[in-house]
Amino acid sequence: MPAQQKKIIFCIAGVLSLACALGTAAAIGTQLWVKGTTLCKTGALLVNATGQELEKFIGKIQYGLFYGERVRQCGLGGRPFQFSFFPDLLKIIPASIHVSVILFCTVLIVFALVGAGFFMFNAFGSPYETLHGPVGLYLWSFIACSCGCLIMILFSSEVKIHHLSEKIANFKEGSFTFKTHSEQFANSFWIILVCSLVQFLNALLIRFAGFEFPFSKPKDSGTITGAADLMY
């Protein structure tokens, strides 16, 4: 492939990687990871509410990685309550999983930025070699993609397996018991999925530029000359 086309491909990959880093950074700071509704089970049982009467006992909840908000409904109107994971909910949530999600988000941002930088070096400058050939570009994309997958797996397990929404809804509730009525992942969670797909796409773009995947067996070791065109 001509060098000019390779530069265009690396420029596109760099922009995508930078957008991934910025999108992840924006997602971390929002409370749009999970949206749902909670049912005041105790209040509904007291009045034997059914059908449309249950709407008076269904509140709302939404939260992210650091803070969130829920509207408490127990038949007397909505009462909003804002909360923070650190330090308010630290004792009732699976703290190790939650901190791991935040850590992998940080790693995803760092390696997406590093990948964007080296993609741009390949497109416009003379890259600084620390790994031979394009292996470094594959490495950054693979690490960022893996972090995105781990974020989704860990956060999904925290929400679904450890019933995070119910734990938040029942925080500092004495006589009332709340149960998750509906629950779905919101925009910020899906941004992480898009970022993971972007990093996988970057790896395909590197391959499209003419560089073999790492550890693949070359057809003829004596004819490999293109790996030194755009290094790392």
Side-chain angles (χ1 to χ4, degrees):
M1 179 178 291
Q4 187 65 28
Q5 294 184 20
K6 290 182 180 181
K7 288 183 178 182
I8 294 174
I9 290 175
F10 283 130
C11 185
I12 293 173
V15 171
L16 290 175
S17 190
L18 178 61
C20 174
L22 296 177
T24 304
I28 291 177
T30 70
Q31 59 180 17
L32 299 177
W33 284 71
V34 175
K35 286 185 176 181
T37 57
T38 55
L39 172 65
C40 181
K41 186 176 179 181
T42 304
L45 289 175
L46 285 175
V47 300
N48 196 21
T50 58
Q52 294 184 350
E53 295 176 346
L54 281 176
E55 294 181 2
K56 298 180 180 180
F57 299 92
I58 296 178
K60 297 179 181 180
I61 185 172
Q62 66 176 18
Y63 55 90
L65 299 181
F66 293 98
Y67 63 98
E69 182 180 10
R70 70 184 179 96
V71 178
R72 184 177 182 272
Q73 286 271 19
C74 285
L76 298 175
R79 297 182 180 180
F81 172 74
Q82 294 184 346
F83 57 87
S84 174
F85 283 92
F86 304 98
D88 296 344
L89 303 176
L90 198 57
K91 293 182 179 180
I92 66 169
I93 65 171
S96 59
I97 297 178
H98 199 79
V99 172
S100 296
V101 172
I102 297 173
L103 177 62
F104 282 120
C105 284
T106 305
V107 175
L108 172 57
I109 294 172
V110 170
F111 280 98
L113 288 174
V114 170
F118 281 106
F119 276 121
M120 291 304 179
F121 273 132
N122 275 276
F124 299 110
S126 299
Y128 177 74
E129 290 186 54
T130 57
L131 292 174
H132 180 67
V135 176
L137 294 177
Y138 281 117
L139 179 62
W140 308 137
S141 299
F142 173 76
I143 293 176
C145 182
S146 300
C147 287
C149 294
L150 287 173
I151 291 167
M152 291 186 293
I153 292 171
L154 291 174
F155 189 74
S156 298
S157 67
E158 185 180 8
V159 173
K160 298 299 183 180
I161 298 177
H162 293 275
H163 307 290
L164 184 60
S165 297
E166 283 191 9
K167 290 181 178 180
I168 294 173
N170 289 285
F171 177 62
K172 289 186 177 180
E173 290 290 343
S175 57
F176 288 91
T177 301
F178 290 84
K179 187 177 181 180
T180 302
H181 186 261
S182 66
E183 189 177 58
Q184 61 273 343
F185 294 108
N187 297 341
S188 294
F189 179 85
W190 300 119
I191 287 175
I192 301 300
L193 173 61
V194 172
C195 289
S196 300
L197 295 177
V198 164
Q199 296 301 325
F200 180 75
L201 175 62
N202 281 349
L204 295 181
L205 288 176
I206 300 169
R207 178 64 185 90
F208 184 70
F211 297 114
E212 295 289 341
F213 288 117
F215 311 113
S216 61
K217 186 177 180 181
K219 294 181 179 179
D220 188 358
S221 59
T223 61
I224 298 176
T225 59
D229 289 342
L230 299 172
M231 304 296 289
Y232 193 69

